Amino acid sequence: FISQMNFDQEGNVTSFEKKKTELFQELSLQARDLRFQHSTSLIARNNCIILRMESLKAIVTPHSLLVLDFRGLGLEHWLVLELAPQLASQSHSLPFEFRALDAILQHKVNTLRARLNVVEPAMLDTLESLVDPKILSADRSKLHVLLQNSKSLSELETDIKVFKETLLKILDEDEIIEELCLTKWTDPRVFEESSLGIDHAEEMELLLDNYYMQAEELGNKTRELKGLIDDSESVIFINLDSHRNVMMRLSLQLSMGSFSLSLFGLIGVAFGMNLESSFEEDARIFWLVTGFMFLGSGMIWRRLLSFLGRHLEPSVAPLYFKLLLCHLWFWSWMPWQHWN
Amino acid sequence: FISQMNFDQEGNVTSFEKKKTELFQELSLQARDLRFQHSTSLIARNNCIILRMESLKAIVTPHSLLVLDFRGLGLEHWLVLELAPQLASQSHSLPFEFRALDAILQHKVNTLRARLNVVEPAMLDTLESLVDPKILSADRSKLHVLLQNSKSLSELETDIKVFKETLLKILDEDEIIEELCLTKWTDPRVFEESSLGIDHAEEMELLLDNYYMQAEELGNKTRELKGLIDDSESVIFINLDSHRNVMMRLSLQLSMGSFSLSLFGLIGVAFGMNLESSFEEDARIFWLVTGFMFLGSGMIWRRLLSFLGRHLEPSVAPLYFKLLLCHLWFWSWMPWQHWN
Amino acid sequence: FISQMNFDQEGNVTSFEKKKTELFQELSLQARDLRFQHSTSLIARNNCIILRMESLKAIVTPHSLLVLDFRGLGLEHWLVLELAPQLASQSHSLPFEFRALDAILQHKVNTLRARLNVVEPAMLDTLESLVDPKILSADRSKLHVLLQNSKSLSELETDIKVFKETLLKILDEDEIIEELCLTKWTDPRVFEESSLGIDHAEEMELLLDNYYMQAEELGNKTRELKGLIDDSESVIFINLDSHRNVMMRLSLQLSMGSFSLSLFGLIGVAFGMNLESSFEEDARIFWLVTGFMFLGSGMIWRRLLSFLGRHLEPSVAPLYFKLLLCHLWFWSWMPWQHWN
Amino acid sequence: FISQMNFDQEGNVTSFEKKKTELFQELSLQARDLRFQHSTSLIARNNCIILRMESLKAIVTPHSLLVLDFRGLGLEHWLVLELAPQLASQSHSLPFEFRALDAILQHKVNTLRARLNVVEPAMLDTLESLVDPKILSADRSKLHVLLQNSKSLSELETDIKVFKETLLKILDEDEIIEELCLTKWTDPRVFEESSLGIDHAEEMELLLDNYYMQAEELGNKTRELKGLIDDSESVIFINLDSHRNVMMRLSLQLSMGSFSLSLFGLIGVAFGMNLESSFEEDARIFWLVTGFMFLGSGMIWRRLLSFLGRHLEPSVAPLYFKLLLCHLWFWSWMPWQHWN
Amino acid sequence: FISQMNFDQEGNVTSFEKKKTELFQELSLQARDLRFQHSTSLIARNNCIILRMESLKAIVTPHSLLVLDFRGLGLEHWLVLELAPQLASQSHSLPFEFRALDAILQHKVNTLRARLNVVEPAMLDTLESLVDPKILSADRSKLHVLLQNSKSLSELETDIKVFKETLLKILDEDEIIEELCLTKWTDPRVFEESSLGIDHAEEMELLLDNYYMQAEELGNKTRELKGLIDDSESVIFINLDSHRNVMMRLSLQLSMGSFSLSLFGLIGVAFGMNLESSFEEDARIFWLVTGFMFLGSGMIWRRLLSFLGRHLEPSVAPLYFKLLLCHLWFWSWMPWQHWN
């Protein structure tokens, strides 16, 4: 048994359960035609249009629209409140199958657009907070959101691609477009009436082309969004690397300070040894050595910092380096020559 | 000699060994036709369909299906338990070659899908554990699994692509589709009987198109999965970099502490020298100097930390830096001016 | 009501408001034709060319050009000062619709080119300052500019693509090109007059092809620019990494110095213990130990530095390492054997 | 003068030197036809097939195969030992030009496959050793090998692409295929004899298609290999980053230890000052202070380590941080509040 | 006024200035035909071939070649010394327009090839020096060269693509090829004479196809070069990362040494306190404690180093870690349990 909802061109809606085989016989279709094996399909069979758009399975006949298996898909609201009036409206001078196809394809494109509208702002928000140059380390919950949205975006991209390919396949073959114009083959009277100055097949092509181009626009948006993610990731990496370099320079500057203190502290340690240095009794010596320790380490540090400043500007470094070596001639045996 | 298994349309299965040349004569084929040089091929020759799907080599005649070299491929189970009943079932009103092709292509697509179903959850598991923001360093065994699955995925992608191209080549040429409808040419009686209201070539096209689209869906899935791997790798790198930055800041904060301790420890070292400082006899001096050492290093550390905090917020740093310099005017000769 | 500006072939401009339905009746168009659902479209309907180029919506008839909804788009200046004279100029021997299409497509291409001319120099400037090898950390405001421009570039790329596809669709179908030659169908006298030795359809193809190729050139430029961004990002990363490696080596060299000072400082600390070493009374011992401390740490540092220098040249390291070990045989129990 | 080797259909091989112009006259070709300007070409001219496959230049006539400029290419072995017998074998019921083309195309595909078989295992070996998670730094000689093989792979990819395009160009135009069936046009008697039930053009298409598909398979393999290189590089980077993070944590843990020792060492330094602390005479004080120094630094270290452990698990850190602050209320003025 | 150089088929060269309008009238062309709006174009108009190859603008008539605006382009040398003799040579049995087109296209391809020959070796040199595993930090001037060449390569790629597309557009339409054979339409006598056994259109196709394939080869080369740049960048990053890891390990090993020294130095500091330890008088205690300090720090260092060695081999670490903990049972309250 299969649940189905029936919309006729006056906007009447009836829903009932029917045996699958009965349905086949009624529409003269074969079992194979209603297997709906692909997530998106749109074919004409025996004066019916059989289509599936993800969860929505429908059969369009010249006079009615049948939606199959409609329960539990969250489509009830749309079916009753939007689809029925849309099918009944006479603004369209074209036959019923056009109105039905138009309504369903519009629903599909709207669904795709709605998904993009959910993913896009979430993505932009996340990216904006991740590329913020002030942050030292990426917020991990944001990364999780990014990954989730990235996955949704990929799935959306695939669905748009599949939808576009389904339409393109039809647009590429004029025969299929002809077949989709049901009224032309089944109802000569209505056909002639409606076709004053209008070529049904051309109208059908326009209708499909319209939704194809809307899907194309959505596809372009997702592509742009993917590009933005890539660019943002590069910026995030540059940011994190920059922070690291800044911290590394600070750390190096501190290391230079600590080194200077150690170097001159060694003098203090030397005088702290229980060994006789013959200076013990002179009170000025204490202040002299203490002052030398502090001033000396300060000056060496200053020298090291300015060395660092120049070292990181590659073009000047070699020259400066020689000057530094000359200045420091008095410990020529020291390790400086390995410095570079 | 070549082993072969013979399925007829009543579901009878016989298997035997035969000389290759006998086989050729029986089917009026040429040696070249049975070389099976490509991993995937599907051609019509002299009222036979000769096909190879990886390890499965088969010949479809209007009345029977011959599976060649079937031993040692792990296909016995499928051949006997699934293929035979499928070929015998009369649900299909179409001739035998349709049933045979349907069964074999379905087996092929199922095999591809099964491979994806093995790779996908393993991949998702691995990625999920690798992007976990808590981990400091990637688990190497997971990386190995990732690499293995990535390789399997590439191979699967190639196989899907080859399968799709094989079908597409046929779908693009109506003549080949016609040739594949064996009954049409060999058995006019059956043909007329079965073709009431049915165009054999169109049915064949539908059959092949169906499997083409299933392969397309699998291809889309593998593409999404590849995209997910790329995105996850970016997130892993951002994670690792973030951890590093956090540790670097902690390390820098500790360095600042150590530097402060060294700086004020130098006072202690100075007073520890065996030199006369004239303060030796006053007991309060001990507490004064000790307190100054601890409090002083604590305060300098605090000052450095807040300097760091502001330094990493680029917009505020320059201003703050000037304030810091003014505050610290009393060691104007100190290395601070090289700090930035 | 809909505002519209009317240009005739004499260069007269009139602007007024009109009901939409009146407009339809006047031009015998249908409501559907003027929905302008896509951002870029160019179609022929009932001897009118209906086109939309982003904000510019226009209808070309054989004798006039109607620009719809022209208010508030910033187009007034162009419409009055440039478009009108261009339409009135008689340099073109071809009918009015050619002049109108030419003017509008040229405006579109100029708009696209202007956008590229804004993005390109900003981008090049930003990239040049970011790849400067002297900078230690990327300027974050520049990164922001880079990201903004990158986004603009993606949008521009999409717009160029959409414009190219719109033209290509027409260029691929000779019938549509024929339909675009309005005068051919509506004004036989003018047609014959103007078509001396000229094929209208061919001229139209040339006109469209010309703008297609201009758009193609713009597309090539954006592609080159995107490539340049990618290359520059790689260079930025190499720069930042290089800086980090240089700082790391300096830091390592300082660590080696500090280690040497600690090692030999330990001697000082040992002699500073309140324990009897029996050397206390000899004044030369003080100078000997102090000298040993300073010289020893200097020499060990020097040795470590040259070890580092060789260690970073991988091919020489193992040999040198053995030599170092031999030299240092006297602390064979020391941790050096774990060094590598 | 041009050296040439002549193979006839009986398998006789003769080689001699001839003037270029004589060759042209003999085969009624033009100078332009034998310029061999492209590395890979296959054309039919005046009942000859003129082809070049990299270094191999050949002319196929209905009765013989001429290999030009065959010296110094390392092809002698193949020409004499393999090509001659292959051309003489009568297993093929088809005319001579089929045998000749078959032999040459097979040689070409074998050459391409051989190149892949050299690159592939070398690449896999190198990658396997580079992605080994135990290695701390990539072996540079391996990187060199990787780069070399990567380059070879790109060249191979181009050659396969060029070969495929050469064949595809012919397969797309039925006229060229017809022209390649030399016997059909020159030797009606042989043609009729051999063409019993065989369509020469179709056989030629099959022959070319066969080699096209073999090239396609090689192309798929190189693409997979390129993908594997990309994936492996990502894994190498994750490995190196992970190692760095692990070392950084160890380094940070050691820094914490050193900081703790410095902090409590300051107490020792304080008591080492030559200032009167009034505790000098009590022997227990020595042990108390010493114990406090060691135990205190151990405990502070432990506390810092557990802080680190929690800090790297982001979700718990803030809470823990407050607890830590409360615990340490007694130095509320200390720098901890800047810690985060 | 427009400068032009005129080459006739006898090799005579004349150059003069002429009004643009005169030129149009002389050749019966329209103003539009000589606007040369695209950087590369090749069209047939009114028995002339009008072409532009970047700076070279030329008109080919059945009897002469006109090069326009030839001054200041650096082409004079080529025009006079190479083009004139080439046009005059009678080696080609084909009419003049073939010789002219041949010469110009060959010049264009040679220009493209020359640009590649400038970029390629510079690029290979730069890459080779950048991937040198010995370098610790990338040479920034090399990076600049890399970026410059990368940009040139992109531009070259675009120019090759544009050239290929221009030719492909002609090759795809047989009518345009026919139009390019000027002599066929203008000079029946020469046509019949020259066309003995030769199809002009086919010759034209061969000529264009030849240059198309040469451009294709250049395009393949640039693609390979781009691939090499990408691969090299990966290797550069792996190199820099490896260097950093090696330095980090050295730094960590030194930190371990410093930590050991600090730990055992604390003993010395403790004995240096002015507190009574009751060991003061025993001379052996000095040597005992001093020895313990040095040996102890050495042994702890060694232990830490071997711990590090094992820690970086992940599979063994956990086990070893437990052993280490057992060994060190006596400070069970110590921070080691937070180590991992």
Side-chain angles (χ1 to χ4, degrees), chain D residues 30 32, chain E residues 93-95 98 184 191-204 206:
Chain D
Q30 294 176 9
R32 164 174 61 77
Chain E
S93 67
L94 286 160
F98 284 82
K184 198 168 179 178
F191 172 61
E192 267 166 45
E193 208 169 83
S194 72
S195 66
L196 291 170
I198 294 177
D199 177 0
H200 273 206
E202 199 178 303
E203 289 300 315
M204 185 55 81
L206 275 174

Side-chain angles (χ1 to χ4, degrees), chain E residues 6-19:
Chain E
N6 201 344
F7 299 82
D8 69 11
Q9 27 189 348
E10 276 77 40
N12 301 324
V13 184
T14 50
S15 76
F16 44 87
E17 308 258 323
K18 204 181 255 184
K19 267 198 183 155

Side-chain angles (χ1 to χ4, degrees), chain B residues 173-184:
Chain B
E173 289 193 48
D174 290 343
E175 288 166 45
I176 305 183
I177 292 177
E178 287 280 349
E179 282 181 50
L180 288 177
C181 304
L182 305 177
T183 306
K184 198 169 180 176

Side-chain angles (χ1 to χ4, degrees), chain A residues 32 37-38 45 136 138 140 150 155 158 161 165 233 240 244 250 253 271 273 280 301-302 305, chain B residues 133 203 206 209-210 216 220 224 231 234 238 241-242 244-245 248 256 270 274 276 333 335 337 339:
Chain A
R32 163 175 60 75
Q37 284 178 306
H38 310 295
R45 277 279 165 283
L136 184 75
R140 288 86 192 261
S150 201
E155 284 164 9
T158 302
K161 182 170 157 274
E165 276 167 7
E233 279 174 357
L240 291 176
R244 211 172 314 144
L250 283 175
Q253 287 167 335
F271 279 103
M273 293 190 293
E280 284 86 353
W301 189 15
R302 191 174 167 170
L305 286 180
Chain B
E203 290 299 315
L206 276 174
D209 193 55
N210 179 13
E216 179 98 359
N220 284 338
E224 276 180 34
D231 292 336
S234 293
I238 296 179
D241 274 29
S242 290
R244 212 173 312 143
N245 277 11
M248 193 137 205
M256 286 173 163
N274 292 324
E276 204 158 291
W333 54 270
Q337 59 265 41
W339 196 267

Side-chain angles (χ1 to χ4, degrees), chain D residues 27 82 85 98 138 140 146 171 211 231 291 325:
Chain D
L27 299 167
E82 297 188 36
F98 285 81
R140 289 86 192 263
L146 181 73
L171 286 168
Y211 290 108
D231 291 338
L325 279 183

Side-chain angles (χ1 to χ4, degrees), chain B residues 225-271:
Chain B
L225 205 51
K226 288 224 136 187
L228 187 64
I229 296 174
D230 282 356
D231 292 336
S232 300
E233 279 174 357
S234 293
V235 167
I236 292 171
F237 282 120
I238 296 179
N239 256 338
L240 291 176
D241 274 29
S242 290
H243 269 295
R244 212 173 312 143
N245 277 11
V246 166
M247 288 195 287
M248 193 137 205
R249 195 180 48 184
L250 283 174
S251 172
L252 188 53
Q253 287 167 334
L254 278 177
S255 292
M256 286 173 163
S258 295
F259 173 76
S260 310
L261 291 176
S262 297
L263 185 63
F264 285 85
L266 209 57
I267 298 172
V269 170
F271 280 102

Side-chain angles (χ1 to χ4, degrees), chain A residues 75-244:
Chain A
L75 292 171
E76 284 87 355
H77 192 260
W78 171 72
L79 288 171
V80 177
L81 295 188
E82 297 189 36
L83 183 57
Q86 221 171 335
L87 293 174
S89 83
Q90 297 294 341
S91 66
H92 239 314
S93 66
L94 286 160
F96 181 75
E97 72 265 24
F98 284 81
R99 266 178 283 158
L101 257 187
D102 203 10
I104 288 172
L105 291 178
Q106 192 176 327
H107 175 65
K108 172 71 184 179
V109 167
N110 287 345
T111 312
L112 291 174
R113 187 175 290 125
R115 281 169 64 190
L116 182 61
N117 286 345
V118 168
V119 171
E120 197 178 18
M123 192 66 108
L124 290 178
D125 257 29
T126 313
L127 288 180
E128 198 169 351
S129 67
L130 279 172
V131 300
D132 181 358
K134 285 187 193 160
I135 57 163
L136 184 75
S137 68
D139 183 346
R140 288 86 192 261
S141 62
K142 300 272 180 191
L143 289 177
H144 196 244
V145 174
L146 180 74
L147 204 57
Q148 285 304 315
N149 283 325
S150 201
K151 213 179 148 192
S152 307
L153 199 64
S154 288
E155 284 164 9
L156 178 59
E157 210 173 20
T158 302
D159 288 349
I160 292 174
K161 182 170 157 274
V162 168
F163 181 63
K164 274 172 58 187
E165 276 167 7
T166 306
L167 292 183
L168 196 60
K169 220 172 176 177
I170 299 172
L171 285 168
D172 279 353
E173 288 194 49
D174 290 343
E175 288 166 45
I176 304 183
I177 292 177
E178 287 281 349
E179 282 181 51
L180 289 177
C181 303
L182 306 178
T183 306
K184 198 168 180 178
W185 313 109
T186 57
D187 205 340
R189 194 188 49 77
V190 175
F191 172 60
E192 268 166 45
E193 206 170 88
S194 72
S195 65
L196 290 170
I198 294 177
D199 178 359
H200 272 208
E202 201 179 298
E203 290 300 315
M204 184 55 81
E205 193 176 344
L206 276 174
L207 191 151
L208 296 175
D209 194 55
N210 180 13
Y211 290 107
Y212 178 78
M213 282 179 70
Q214 290 191 28
E216 179 97 359
E217 275 175 37
L218 290 178
N220 284 338
K221 278 245 179 75
T222 59
R223 212 166 32 80
E224 276 179 33
L225 205 51
K226 289 224 135 186
L228 187 64
I229 297 174
D230 282 356
D231 291 336
S232 299
E233 279 174 357
S234 295
V235 167
I236 292 170
F237 282 120
I238 296 180
N239 256 337
L240 291 176
D241 274 29
S242 290
H243 269 295
R244 211 172 314 144

